[in-house]
Amino acid sequence: MRKPVIAGNWKMYKTPKESLAFLDAFLPLVEGHERDEILLFPTMSSLAYAIEAAAGTNVRAGAQNMHWLNEGPYTGQTSPTMLVSIGCRHVLLGHSEPRLYFNETYERVNLKLKAAINHGITPIVCFGEMLAEREDLRTEEVLRTQVQAALRNISASEARRLVIAYEPIWAIGTGSTASPEVAAAAHAIIRHELSHCCGQQTAENTRIVYGGSVKPENIAALMAQEEIDGALVGGASLVPTTFADIVQYKE
Ligand code: PGA
């Protein structure tokens, strides 16, 4: 059984005050909800506030990125030990925005993934093809290459905590969601590659969530696919009632 994960990626939105106002409204709406694991990824300046406000609830807050070293002269970076020190136990890695705008690579994602695992932080690693790659019928090749690079030398026991997000770049923030069938097919490719890298058991146990224009209107159809184990939600996670509607989709 793979417990679904519904995660909100707040990107570069919400000050601490706005984050706390969100949680004030959101936490009562999802109180007692146990079917799905609920995660939020605030920006770094709001993270400690969100973790504290959500303590003792069924909601957890994680970081949108991190460095792989514990400390050093790396301006602008946050280390795994720093995240752990504020009670952070989840991190997004390899999201397409840092890949597209800040030269993030899967070689670095691999180092970050290992560091996260070593520090007891659950990584959510993102994969996804660009529109041109899909149109060139290269989706499978691209996803397999990404998975191989990110998961290089990760053992089955290390991969135990791993969560994967399939986020086709053409669906992020565009309003055009992948159809449930297209998403499920991509998840199957990723799961198959995962079995090569980390074994069959890991592939069967690992949750693969879909991200890209998830809304209250399309979540149920996506979740009806056996292959889809949750959602990573950007824009629609910014409003408490909208995100609560997504979390509480009707099966
Ligand atoms: P979106 O973003 O839901 O706004 O498309 C998803 C993401 O980037 O994680």
Side-chain angles (χ1 to χ4, degrees):
M1 259 306 280
R2 302 189 296 255
K3 182 169 180 166
V5 190
I6 310 286
N9 172 12
W10 284 354
K11 309 192 178 190
M12 200 169 70
Y13 294 97
K14 294 196 190 295
T15 62
K17 198 171 163 192
E18 290 162 345
S19 304
L20 294 177
F22 176 100
L23 286 167
D24 258 354
F26 179 71
L27 291 173
L29 295 176
V30 298
E31 197 183 336
H33 184 95
E34 283 178 358
R35 178 189 59 189
D36 312 271
E37 195 176 328
I38 309 170
L39 301 176
L40 287 170
F41 291 89
T43 193
M44 206 56 92
S45 52
S46 293
L47 180 57
Y49 295 94
I51 288 172
E52 203 178 310
T57 75
N58 54 342
V59 176
R60 296 279 169 275
Q64 294 178 12
N65 205 343
M66 67 170 206
H67 199 281
W68 60 92
L69 294 176
N70 290 343
E71 58 182 14
Y74 301 103
T75 304
Q77 303 296 308
T78 308
S79 79
T81 46
M82 290 165 185
L83 293 182
V84 168
S85 77
I86 58 165
C88 173
R89 292 287 181 278
H90 298 84
V91 66
L92 279 183
L93 297 176
H95 190 277
S96 63
E97 284 153 10
R99 285 193 285 122
L100 288 173
Y101 307 133
F102 306 110
N103 302 315
E104 180 67 298
T105 64
Y106 279 112
E107 287 67 35
R108 265 188 261 152
V109 169
N110 178 253
L111 296 172
K112 294 176 179 189
L113 181 55
K114 288 178 186 161
I117 291 165
N118 286 336
H119 288 91
I121 301 171
T122 297
I124 301 193
V125 183
C126 306
F127 302 110
E129 79 287 359
M130 296 166 77
L131 182 59
E133 293 166 336
R134 173 160 287 272
E135 287 175 345
D136 287 349
L137 306 178
R138 292 181 50 219
T139 300
E140 176 165 357
E141 172 203 328
V142 168
L143 292 176
R144 292 182 58 185
T145 307
Q146 291 177 344
V147 173
Q148 284 163 13
L151 301 187
R152 208 166 64 87
N153 295 330
I154 302 284
S155 68
S157 74
E158 287 172 324
R160 220 165 14 99
R161 288 177 177 277
L162 177 67
V163 177
I164 288 177
Y166 168 60
E167 296 215 315
I169 294 172
W170 46 270
I172 296 179
T174 58
S176 61
T177 321
S179 70
E181 295 74 21
V182 162
H187 285 219
I189 291 168
I190 293 172
R191 205 178 292 287
H192 189 71
E193 196 53 40
L194 190 56
S195 73
H196 283 306
C197 299
C198 305
Q200 186 62 31
Q201 198 59 47
T202 304
E204 277 168 28
N205 294 344
T206 301
R207 294 169 296 175
I208 306 182
V209 308
Y210 167 79
S213 299
V214 173
K215 307 179 229 2
E217 297 75 39
N218 56 30
I219 181 72
L222 288 160
M223 292 304 291
Q225 294 284 332
E226 183 96 18
E227 269 295 343
I228 301 183
D229 305 315
L232 181 54
V233 185
S237 73
L238 293 170
V239 178
T241 48
T242 310
F243 192 50
D245 284 347
I246 292 177
V247 168
Q248 288 162 325
Y249 70 90
K250 300 248 180 321
E251 284 174 86

